[in-house]
Structures are given as structure tokens and as C-alpha cells.
Amino acid sequence: MGMRHTHLLMPLALVSAMAAVQQAYAADEFLAQDIRIDGLVRLTPASIYSMLPINSGDRVSDPMIAESIRTLYASGLFDDIKAFKENNVLVFKVVERPVISKLEFKGNKLIPKEALEQGLKKMGIAEGEVFKKSALQVIETELEQQYTQQGRYDADVTVETVARPNNRVELLLNFNEGTAAKVFDINIIGNTVFSDSEIKQAFAVKESGWASIVTRNDRYAREKMAASLEALRALYLNKGYINFNIINSQLNISEDKKNIFIEVSVDEGSQFKFGETKFLGDALYKPEELNALKLYKDGETYSQERVNAVKQLLLRKYGNAGYYYAEVNVVPDINNETGIVNLNYYVNPGQQVTVRRINFTGNNKTADEVLRREMRQMEGALASNEKIDLSKIRLERTGFFKTVDVKPVRVPNTPDQVDLNVAVEEQHSGTTTLAVGYSQNGGVTFQAGLSQTNFMGTGNRVAIDLSRSETQDYYNLSVTDPYFTIDGVSRGYNVYYRKTKLNENYNVNNYVTDSIGGSLSFGYPIDENQSLSASLGIDQTKVRTGPSVSTYIRDYLLANGGKATGKSRWCPSGENKVGEGENPKPIPGTCKDDLWDDYNDAFEGEFLTYMLNLGWSYNTLNRPVFPTSGMSHRVGLEVGLPGSDVDYQKLTYDAQAFKSLGAGFVLRGYGKLGYGNDLPFYKNFYAGGYGSVRGYDNSSLGPKYPSVIFQETERNDPDPEEVGGNALVQFGTELALPVPFKGDWARQVRPVIFAEGAQVFDTKCDISNSAYGEKGMTINGQKITDVKQYCKDNYGLDFGNLRYSVGVGFTWITMIGPLSLSYAYPLNDKKGDDTKSIQFEIGRTF
């Protein structure tokens, strides 16, 4: 690694300066009538006089002048200092060190500019600082170590200095970061208990292979090597080889510095078992209480991992009781002859510690009380590990903050008190929207809205949505106060108006619902993870259909107070009865006037519903968006109350669980079950698309029935209408992949690989034959005469009808909301299924 310095002179040595002084003066003293400083550019004479140990009018000697020169050099402000006598005036001729006017970096990718500037500033190298040339060698050594630790042995850094007017200098650091050396071979010597492949599997650094092209895990780095040796040691210690020792670990680098050969020699020793365990010191608890924390039994194979886990359980137990700084030292008693390890846990609980004060920082928008009400560790109470950890989790679950950091800090001169410093980084907790957009299911959309989960820093949730699209106009206002009472009982209001429009390009079914309603809801926390909810609502829904509405919906409307609102005609005889198309019209001259048949082709119904919703939820997710651990369960019951136009019950269960696999991988399992009794068709469950089974079109799976127009004209319906079902089964698993980004990007993007399945069913098949016509019906080439049997065979609760898919996707948290995109491959689609490989959605997260 080379370095180049230009346009700078090395400072004169102090010895040279002393020699110059002695040449200028004899041993005689003289009276310095005045002191003059020559050569100053930035500095003022007054600032120099204050440093000198002599003053005008003093009798000076050579030792006194030498001491003055040493003092000026020690200030770090000068490159050269000379002194001489001129007519009884003591003159100091100086050369000031230049000031760094500009610091520039080129070619640095691995080490960010901010990190370089911070590191150099600690060494006194920064814009505006006096330039010390001696620091250049320190820079070279430090950067060389940084790149060597990352395995970049061919890296090269050059430092250029350019002098500028007014005693200034610019520094330019040119980086050639080279390439990280690859681990070509790992050779283990002395192993018999574990095979080479088992040991290499445990290593963090890997040998080069085909997978390394993607994973890049064969790039050598010192910390990865250290982690590999620790993993090797843990591998043996956890199998009872307590005397295991790494004799030697050696690196050999190829001449071109591109490949590394690793050789590790080990001494395995013999296997040991657990013997007697004692808890000594000021234990405070009864032996049986501490013995309950043992994660092993006497006589089992020794495992250092279990010993460390017991130590952590002990620290947590004492920490939860206020002994926050308790100490536990594990002293093993190893008997090499019997192969037994007796363990002594020495406990020093220390003093009980209370929390004096809780300090919040970083909450520029969010009020202190919003954070404080989530804290389970209270001021004046004993410090508890459990309560501090739970406080952190509850703050993260709010979704208001990117990061939450909780640090206990000892109060000076008070050993039994700590302050709790809570540092948060706020994030966008909602969106304000004024946009024109497009979606697969709604076409062009005009939207204006405000959605805030932390409205004006109060912690209240407010949502206002005003949107118009080709299929729907929607207006909604909801307000929720999560702390309506100090105990955490929440209260919410919601009012809405929705008007939908028939559009053959986007509607799943050929009917629309115009609804207006509202609700009042309450939530009651059972404990930290469980809560109950209840809401009362009223909904007025008007259903209007088009001519292609399904016979299933027509029959429901007519059986529940609905009416026909439109008619069409068709000719039962003749070659060309009606025109072509989905809504055929009679063709003049093809049918005698007295042979035309009229039929109803449009319908409507209106339903007033008083609804009761009851819910139970359990949530241990570590954060609301992109969690990495924990689970959630939700059970909901919706009931149409007496006095409503519809009397129904609808039960749903949602669950999901997350587990971090390390290295940025997160495994998610999820599922949903639903069952309804006497559901009106517009309350049915649907399956297909995002939130169900990707790869199939949205809401396209499950029961299908022919359109009225095809039934009445006795024609085959090639594309029957989806009507949903009263039972739902869906489940899946996702593997979230690590992203190569850092900072906010890592928290805003989650790519996944998924496999999932779903279906909706009609468990009753309480359908009259009129749904298919008295003469039967042909759908997709199948002649149907017994409607109920057809329903049972195709739409009954038969798990063999589940649809499955696999695929990849990602979710990106944007300023307008979460955007999700996926590519899915249906595994068992059947004739009549609507498949769609590429799908996207805005608004759903997990």
C-alpha cells in the first residue's frame, strides 16, 4: 500500500532548531528590549506572546530561548521555528502549519464517506483543522488495517496534498479498494469426532463453490474467521468436549493475493458429562427455586450452551426482582479421570436498583405521554429486565418509530438507582394522499385522504378517505383513541358511504352495493398480549344488478324482499333467436311477434342490518410492519341482530407466526378459517389473489353459477359468475429474504418466496334447481340437471378442491402506502379457473 505526499516540507527537527539558536548566540545573556514574531499568516502576535515563557524586558539566555522554541513546537501550530537577536530585539521567525481547507475522497465504496470523516476527525484531520503531517502515516496504517481485516490484500490508498494560497492545503485520498481474497481451501487437522464437512458447515467463512457467486460467503474477513473459530469451539463444547483446544490456525495467501488457504489444527480431548450443580453465594432464593432453572440433568452430556443459558436465566430472575446488576460466575470442577464436570454458580445479587427517572429523546412529534403510557417499567419502582424489555416491545408495536433503544444508566454516586434513557427514531405513521392511480381491480382511481396512526403526536388513529374510481365512490371517516381510559380501553367511531358502479371490466360479480353506515367500538386489554373488542353498527345496503348477474343472487334477492327492475325478450324457436353478445337483443324478422318470451334481467333489494361484532386477539409480534418474531391470533364473530332484514352469523379466525432464522431470513406461517350461517351473498367469503392464494385472479375461486341471461335463453355459460361461499380455508408459508441494502431500505423492502393454498366452499348447497333452469344447464361443456348434487360435488367442503401456488414477491413501504408485487405459478388449476401470474396491490402489509 503506497502513499504520496506533494508540495510539503518536513518540519525541522527540534535539535536543528537548538543548533541554530546556539549558533546565533554566545553563552552570554542579554536584555531583550522587545520580542518580535515574523512569518505569521493566520495567527496574531498576541496569541503567540501568551504562549512564551519570557516577556519583553527579561534578561534571556540560550536555555530560556530553547524552552520558548519547545513551547511553540508543542502547540502544534508550526512547521519551523528559528530565533535570533537583532539590536537587542529577540526575533522568532516561524512557519505556520497550513489549515486543511478541503478533504476529498475518491474510490471509497466499502468505507462510507461519513465514517472516514468521523475517523479522521478523531486524529485531528478535518476541514478547518491545522494540518499535522505526522498524522498521514497514522492514516496509512489505519486504512491498511481496515482493508486487511476485510481480506483485501491488494488494496491501495494514496494521499495527495495540494498547497493553496493563504497557508491552506487540500487533502485528496484516492482509494483502490481491490478485491476480497477468496477462501480456496479449508483444511482441518486432528478432528475425529466431527467430519470435515460438519466443521465447514459450522464455519462462517466458506470454501469457494458455485453458490458463492450469489452468497459471496467465500470472501475472507478477519471477523468472519474469528466467528468461524468460535463456532468450531462451540461445536465441541456443546457436545461435552470441555478440554477442546485450537492448537493453531494459519492463513496462507497466494502470490497474486487472490486466494487464501486456511489450516486449523485441533486437539479434541475427551467427552464429559454433567455432575453435581450447586448455587453458592448470596442466593436469596431456595435451592429448589434455582434448581428449577436447570436446563440439563445430572449425567447428561455436557453442553456449554446450556450452561450459558442457565446463567442468563439466573441473571434474568434476579434482574426481574430488582437486582439489575447481579453477577453470576460459573466455576466448573473438572475431573479428567471420571469425565465429570461439577458446576458451581456463584451468585452476587448486589443491591436492589430502582428507576429514578425515565428520559425520552427523539420524539420530536410524539407527545411524551404517548410513550410513557406504553412503559411497563415505572419510575420509582424496582428495575426489572422483564418490564424494561416489555416496554421496548410495546413502543415498537405502536408503529410510530423506526427504532427504539432503551438503556439503563447508573445515577452518579447512587449505586441503587438508574435512569432509563429511551431513544426513539420517529417514522411516517400515516399517509396524506392526493393522487391519481390505477389498480387491477378498480381501474383508474382518484383519491384524497389522510391516514394517521399517530395523529398530531397524540397516538390517536384517524383516517379520512375520499376516493372515486371506475367501480366505486367511497367516503370514510374513522377515529380511534387507544387510551380512552387510563387502563388502555380503546374507543372508536366509524362512518362510511359507498356507492359502487357496474363495470364489466372490473366487477367480480355483476351486481353493486350502495352502503351507508357507522359503528361504535370498544377494546379491552386482558393482559399485555391479549385483548377483547366489541362494536355495534348499523348498515343500510342497497343491491342493484345487471343483466349478467348470477341466478344464485337473483334467487336470493327475490326470496328476501327484492324485486325485478328490468326485462328482456328472447325467441324460444327459430334459427336466429337473439343476437350475439353477453346481452343479446332480438333480431327483427327472425321470430314471430307472438312467439317472443319476456324474462326479468335486472333486480334490486335493500337490507337494513344491525350488527354486533365481538373479537379476541393475541399478539406477540415484535413490530406491526415487517415483524421478525412472535405470533398473532384473531377470532371474530359478526352477528346480524334481531330486527335486521338479514339474520346471520359469521365466524373468522386469523393466525400468523414469524421466526427469525438469522442472516436476515425470516420464516412466516399464516392461515385463515371462516364459517358463516345464513350469510347474505354480499357477506360471503372469497378466495384468490393477494391475501389468499396468489396466481389465481382476485375472488375468482369457489362456487360459480350461470348468468340470468344465459339461463333464460337456454345457452351454455362459458364464464359463470363467482358468488363466494360460506366457508373459507386458506394457509401458506413465506420465507422473507435478506436485502443487500442498509439503513431505511432494509426496513422498507421485504422480498419473499411463498407457497400457499385456499378455497371457499358452500357447505349447505341449499340451492333450488331454478338456479340452472328447469331443463338443466350446460356450464363449460357439462350438462347439469341436479343442482344440489352438482354443488356438493364441486363446491362442497372437500379439501381435494383446494388450489395451490408457489411464487416470489416483495412488499415496499412507500410514501403512499405499502406496494406489493408478486409472480405466482398455480400448481393445480382446473378448467374454469381464472389464473393470473403477475399481481400487485397497494395497502396490505404483514
Side-chain angles (χ1 to χ4, degrees):
M1 185 175 298
M3 184 170 291
R4 184 168 66 251
H5 316 301
T6 62
H7 304 289
L8 287 175
L9 296 174
M10 293 298 291
L12 295 177
L14 183 59
V15 174
S16 299
M18 293 294 298
V21 171
Q22 292 188 13
Q23 289 175 4
Y25 296 103
D28 297 336
E29 296 180 356
F30 74 98
L31 180 65
Q33 295 178 350
D34 194 9
I35 298 176
R36 190 174 78 241
I37 313 295
D38 290 346
L40 295 179
V41 178
R42 292 179 302 102
L43 301 173
T44 62
S47 64
I48 308 303
Y49 292 146
S50 64
M51 300 181 194
L52 292 174
I54 55 179
N55 298 305
S56 298
D58 289 348
R59 184 168 292 277
V60 298
S61 61
D62 287 351
M64 293 173 66
I65 295 173
E67 177 62 26
S68 298
I69 292 176
R70 279 195 294 268
T71 300
L72 293 178
Y73 266 123
S75 70
L77 299 173
F78 305 103
D79 272 339
D80 189 24
I81 304 170
K82 293 180 180 179
F84 55 89
K85 176 185 175 185
E86 186 178 281
N87 299 324
N88 291 325
V89 174
L90 179 59
V91 179
F92 290 93
K93 188 173 182 59
V94 299
V95 176
E96 290 183 14
R97 283 181 173 172
V99 171
I100 300 173
S101 59
K102 186 177 181 181
L103 192 59
E104 190 175 354
F105 309 97
K106 287 187 178 180
N108 58 302
K109 296 180 180 179
L110 291 175
I111 306 177
K113 178 182 177 181
E114 294 77 13
L116 282 169
E117 288 177 337
Q118 192 174 26
L120 291 174
K121 190 172 184 178
K122 291 180 180 179
M123 291 185 275
I125 303 294
E127 292 182 5
E129 296 289 336
V130 174
F131 177 54
K132 301 176 183 178
K133 288 175 287 223
S134 58
L136 293 178
Q137 186 61 43
V138 179
I139 295 174
E140 177 184 352
T141 303
E142 178 63 27
L143 292 176
E144 181 178 341
Q145 290 176 351
Q146 289 284 337
Y147 284 107
T148 299
Q149 288 174 7
Q150 298 181 52
R152 295 176 178 267
Y153 296 99
D154 58 344
D156 182 67
V157 177
T158 60
V159 181
E160 295 183 24
T161 58
V162 180
R164 293 301 183 195
N166 299 323
N167 203 31
R168 294 175 301 132
V169 65
E170 295 180 1
L171 295 186
L172 173 61
L173 278 71
N174 292 302
F175 292 78
N176 177 12
E177 297 182 322
T179 57
K182 297 180 181 179
V183 177
F184 187 80
D185 178 66
I186 300 174
N187 185 28
I188 313 297
I189 300 173
N191 57 305
T192 59
V193 176
F194 296 102
S195 65
D196 286 1
S197 60
E198 288 175 312
I199 293 175
K200 291 177 183 179
Q201 182 66 29
F203 269 35
V205 62
K206 308 291 184 181
E207 291 178 339
S208 288
W210 63 270
S212 303
I213 299 174
V214 177
T215 63
R216 301 175 66 88
N217 56 8
D218 61 342
R219 301 315 196 255
Y220 177 81
R222 185 176 299 178
E223 62 271 16
K224 288 174 67 175
M225 187 61 197
S228 298
L229 295 179
E230 283 301 314
L232 175 61
R233 188 174 286 105
L235 190 67
Y236 276 91
L237 290 179
N238 292 335
K239 286 298 182 180
Y241 294 89
I242 197 169
N243 290 327
F244 171 79
N245 183 40
I246 297 176
I247 300 173
N248 183 40
S249 60
Q250 184 173 319
L251 299 181
N252 294 308
I253 306 171
S254 62
E255 290 186 8
D256 59 4
K257 298 182 180 181
K258 301 291 185 183
N259 296 313
I260 291 179
F261 304 84
I262 298 175
E263 185 176 284
V264 180
S265 301
V266 301
D267 178 12
E268 295 178 322
S270 57
Q271 193 177 50
F272 285 75
K273 298 183 180 299
F274 283 113
E276 183 182 9
T277 297
K278 294 181 181 179
F279 297 96
L280 306 173
D282 191 3
L284 297 177
Y285 294 97
K286 295 179 180 180
E288 53 269 23
E289 291 183 82
L290 299 181
N291 277 319
L293 302 179
K294 281 176 53 179
L295 300 177
Y296 52 83
K297 295 180 181 179
D298 296 351
E300 286 185 343
T301 300
Y302 179 87
S303 169
Q304 187 63 44
E305 184 178 33
R306 293 188 183 182
V307 174
N308 293 339
V310 172
K311 178 179 177 179
Q312 292 305 313
L313 288 174
L314 284 168
L315 289 172
R316 191 162 188 83
K317 185 177 183 67
Y318 283 93
N320 290 340
Y323 298 95
Y324 197 80
Y325 293 104
E327 296 178 352
V328 176
N329 294 314
V330 186
V331 180
D333 181 10
I334 304 171
N335 192 320
N336 291 308
E337 296 181 1
T338 61
I340 297 295
V341 180
N342 296 321
L343 291 172
N344 298 314
Y345 293 85
Y346 287 92
V347 180
N348 176 20
Q351 289 181 286
Q352 282 187 307
V353 177
T354 59
V355 174
R356 183 187 69 167
R357 188 178 296 117
I358 299 177
N359 306 308
F360 298 101
T361 58
N363 55 317
N364 302 318
K365 179 182 71 173
T366 309
D368 264 24
E369 66 172 301
V370 174
L371 287 81
R372 197 170 295 278
R373 69 193 184 190
E374 299 296 336
M375 299 297 293
R376 294 302 176 258
Q377 175 65 64
M378 298 296 152
E379 292 178 343
L382 291 174
S384 166
N385 281 315
E386 185 176 21
K387 292 180 179 179
I388 291 174
D389 292 346
L390 183 57
S391 299
K392 182 176 186 293
I393 290 171
R394 288 190 63 88
L395 287 171
E396 289 174 332
R397 285 182 189 170
T398 64
F400 305 160
F401 312 109
K402 289 181 183 179
T403 59
V404 178
D405 184 36
V406 182
K407 287 185 178 179
V409 179
R410 286 184 182 271
V411 176
N413 303 318
T414 311
D416 61 347
Q417 285 188 329
V418 296
D419 285 341
L420 213 57
N421 293 337
V422 182
V424 299
E425 182 184 357
E426 292 179 322
Q427 66 180 356
H428 296 292
S429 55
T431 57
T432 301
T433 306
L434 182 62
V436 177
Y438 176 83
S439 70
Q440 288 176 315
N441 301 314
V444 177
T445 301
F446 301 89
Q447 184 177 8
L450 168 69
S451 175
Q452 280 283 338
T453 58
N454 185 19
F455 184 68
M456 297 183 70
T458 64
N460 294 341
R461 294 188 290 271
V462 175
I464 302 172
D465 189 20
L466 312 172
S467 65
R468 301 193 68 178
S469 71
E470 295 180 53
T471 61
Q472 180 175 267
D473 294 342
Y474 181 60
Y475 311 99
N476 178 77
L477 170 64
S478 64
V479 179
T480 302
D481 181 357
Y483 278 85
F484 173 60
T485 71
I486 195 172
D487 297 324
V489 175
S490 65
R491 182 180 67 181
Y493 306 93
N494 181 53
V495 291
Y496 59 87
Y497 171 74
R498 179 175 61 249
K499 181 179 178 62
T500 50
K501 313 165 192 176
L502 280 171
N503 188 306
E504 62 182 14
N505 294 321
Y506 301 111
N507 285 104
V508 172
N509 216 318
N510 273 274
Y511 71 89
V512 295
T513 58
D514 300 335
S515 301
I516 185 170
S519 64
L520 171 65
S521 60
F522 291 91
Y524 177 77
I526 301 174
D527 56 28
E528 296 298 342
N529 300 315
Q530 297 184 80
S531 64
L532 297 175
S533 63
S535 71
L536 283 171
I538 183 171
D539 177 89
Q540 178 81 30
T541 294
K542 183 177 181 179
V543 180
R544 295 176 290 112
T545 78
S548 296
V549 70
S550 72
T551 56
Y552 172 88
I553 293 173
R554 175 200 65 185
D555 291 351
Y556 184 92
L557 290 174
L558 295 179
N560 289 274
K563 62 182 180 180
T565 58
K567 288 182 177 295
S568 286
R569 307 182 71 197
W570 79 293
C571 185
S573 61
E575 293 182 1
N576 198 0
K577 304 171 188 176
V578 292
E580 298 298 325
E582 191 167 310
N583 188 17
K585 300 295 182 183
I587 298 178
T590 61
C591 188
K592 293 181 180 180
D593 291 341
D594 59 347
L595 294 180
W596 287 107
D597 276 356
D598 294 330
Y599 67 92
N600 296 320
D601 70 345
F603 311 87
E604 71 176 34
E606 195 161 349
F607 304 92
L608 175 65
T609 309
Y610 302 102
M611 296 172 293
L612 171 66
N613 284 275
L614 301 175
W616 168 85
S617 67
Y618 175 83
N619 187 350
T620 61
L621 299 179
N622 61 336
R623 52 179 180 254
V625 178
F626 293 166
T628 58
S629 65
M631 65 179 66
S632 69
H633 300 270
R634 291 193 301 271
V635 177
L637 174 63
E638 181 179 331
V639 178
L641 297 174
S644 303
D645 293 333
V646 287
D647 183 13
Y648 67 94
Q649 302 82 41
K650 186 176 184 179
L651 183 66
T652 57
Y653 167 67
D654 285 272
Q656 59 178 341
F658 294 82
K659 182 176 178 57
S660 176
L661 304 179
F665 291 92
V666 178
L667 183 65
R668 176 191 180 223
Y670 51 95
K672 182 177 182 179
L673 301 174
Y675 179 78
N677 180 51
D678 295 332
L679 291 179
F681 63 88
Y682 55 86
K683 291 285 186 179
N684 278 350
F685 295 103
Y686 287 87
Y690 258 101
S692 178
V693 53
R694 284 161 280 191
Y696 298 85
D697 204 359
N698 291 293
S699 305
S700 65
L701 296 178
K704 298 182 180 182
Y705 292 96
S707 298
V708 168
I709 192 170
F710 284 99
Q711 182 224 41
E712 294 287 353
T713 58
E714 297 181 0
R715 293 186 300 157
N716 174 59
D717 190 344
D719 186 21
E721 300 296 311
E722 303 90 350
V723 299
N726 75 312
L728 167 70
V729 175
Q730 65 185 48
F731 51 86
T733 183
E734 288 181 339
L735 178 64
L737 308 176
V739 293
F741 315 117
K742 295 182 180 180
D744 288 347
W745 276 100
R747 292 188 290 263
Q748 294 174 350
V749 177
R750 175 168 281 189
V752 297
I753 301 172
F754 62 84
E756 52 195 12
Q759 188 57 284
V760 290
F761 308 94
D762 187 339
T763 63
K764 294 186 175 182
C765 288
D766 187 15
I767 305 164
S768 67
N769 279 330
S770 66
Y772 286 90
E774 297 299 333
K775 297 179 181 179
M777 177 59 66
T778 302
I779 293 182
N780 294 325
Q782 180 181 1
K783 184 71 174 180
I784 303 164
T785 57
D786 188 338
V787 174
K788 290 188 177 181
Q789 191 59 47
Y790 174 79
C791 175
K792 292 177 182 178
D793 293 341
N794 292 274
Y795 308 134
L797 190 59
D798 180 0
F799 293 146
N801 285 328
L802 285 165
R803 300 294 194 271
Y804 303 95
S805 70
V806 295
V808 296
F810 77 91
T811 298
W812 174 26
I813 305 299
T814 70
M815 290 294 291
I816 61 170
L819 184 149
S820 299
L821 178 68
S822 71
Y823 176 86
Y825 178 77
L827 295 177
N828 62 336
D829 55 303
K830 298 181 181 180
K831 185 178 180 180
D833 288 346
D834 296 324
T835 60
K836 184 166 287 187
S837 297
I838 298 176
Q839 292 170 300
F840 70 88
E841 180 182 73
I842 296 177
R844 186 188 305 271
T845 59
F846 52 83

